Amino acid sequence: MLTADDWNHFAATYAQIQRESRLPIEQDVTATLRDWYPQPQWTIADVAAGSGRYALPLSESYLTVAMSDWAANMLALAQQWLVTHHRTNFTTTVSDWHDLPAGVADLVFVSQLPTLTAADLPQLTALTRQVVAINLQTQQANALITAVANALTLPIPRVPQCHPNLAAAITRWADQPGRDFHLRTFNYDRREPLALADVLPEFGVPITVSQMQALARDLTPGQDPHVMLPVTTHYTFTLQSWHQ
């Protein structure tokens, strides 16, 4: 399990990855929240805000955004990101989310918090005055990896940032009679060049020369495992929200 120090060391790389992402998930999530909750006077608590990917569009749609994260370096980059975009309606607090006070904001928003479990949901819900919203990546299917797995009868490698089981557990806990519950999924396809040789280490098992040759023969032009192929990766994100 990564610690706050780990995230501090990783902050610059993490921010760069998010800035270079071509998936418009932050815009789609914010637009959906604005559709569900058209309350521009609401305050937002962006819990585990990271480098500010979601805080920026949230600050454009709601009155204020209070960003918290246990990694100070992450929040420094988030602050820089919002200031660069001329946003002033935000605050930053270095804190583990468990230490935040109850009723901290009208809408408590969480995206991709690695340590979150279903057992945390009551405490997380207690933080809000109105609504909790959780965004999770629930699928990442790479066409080339899938083809290799099928050819070698290997399981498709788990993607660490995907949490379909947690999303299902949240639905079971939050979607209760009498509770205003919302759920929306977002699907994206991204096509990019990728070589067969680049994906084989993802499986974490030895690949023999004969297996490599067979894969190259079946999956690549010219039987070259290093040739770049146009590969589609499918992503799914799940946004869930409920009133306190």
Side-chain angles (χ1 to χ4, degrees):
M1 184 68 67
L2 295 177
T3 66
D5 285 341
D6 294 327
W7 283 108
N8 276 318
H9 291 308
F10 184 52
T13 300
Y14 181 79
Q16 182 178 358
I17 291 170
Q18 293 213 318
R19 305 288 187 258
E20 293 175 354
S21 173
R22 287 177 286 159
L23 302 182
I25 181 62
E26 66 270 29
Q27 288 86 7
D28 291 342
V29 162
T30 303
T32 299
L33 291 175
R34 192 168 57 240
D35 178 49
W36 289 347
Y37 310 112
Q39 308 289 343
Q41 77 280 8
W42 270 14
T43 59
I44 310 299
D46 187 356
V47 173
S51 60
R53 180 176 188 175
Y54 291 89
L56 178 59
L58 287 170
S59 73
E60 296 167 348
S61 298
Y62 293 98
L63 182 64
T64 61
V65 176
M67 295 184 288
S68 63
D69 200 288
W70 65 350
N73 290 355
M74 283 286 191
L75 285 180
L77 291 168
Q79 178 173 329
Q80 182 182 28
W81 183 241
L82 268 69
V83 168
T84 299
H85 288 82
H86 311 292
R87 306 307 301 171
T88 59
N89 58 332
F90 68 90
T91 61
T92 61
T93 301
V94 179
S95 174
D96 186 297
W97 76 265
H98 294 89
D99 299 324
L100 296 174
V104 69
D106 294 305
L107 191 157
V108 170
F109 174 76
V110 184
S111 181
Q112 293 295 108
L113 176 55
T115 58
L116 187 69
T117 69
D120 294 318
L121 297 178
Q123 184 176 357
L124 188 67
T125 302
L127 295 182
T128 189
R129 293 194 293 269
Q130 301 281 350
V131 166
V132 174
I134 298 178
N135 177 56
L136 294 171
Q137 184 177 345
T138 48
Q139 185 184 20
Q140 183 169 319
N142 179 285
L144 184 55
I145 290 177
T146 299
V148 172
N150 291 338
L152 299 180
T153 62
L154 291 172
I156 294 174
R158 178 182 175 274
V159 179
Q161 63 266 32
C162 291
H163 304 282
N165 293 335
L166 176 58
I170 290 172
T171 301
R172 289 192 296 270
W173 186 87
D175 188 11
Q176 299 293 330
R179 174 178 273 166
D180 185 16
F181 175 78
H182 297 276
L183 184 150
R184 186 169 296 175
T185 58
F186 307 95
N187 293 284
Y188 308 97
D189 288 319
R190 188 178 72 181
R191 197 169 179 84
E192 60 184 347
L194 196 61
L196 173 62
D198 293 331
V199 306
L200 295 181
E202 299 286 334
F203 289 87
V205 297
I207 305 296
T208 67
V209 173
S210 60
Q211 286 176 317
M212 171 78 85
Q213 292 172 338
L215 289 169
R217 183 181 63 250
D218 295 339
L219 301 178
T220 69
Q223 303 183 23
D224 183 354
H226 300 284
V227 68
M228 302 303 287
L229 307 170
V231 178
T232 297
T233 302
H234 179 79
Y235 301 83
T236 300
F237 292 80
T238 301
L239 176 66
Q240 301 184 75
S241 181
W242 60 93
H243 277 269
Q244 186 184 42

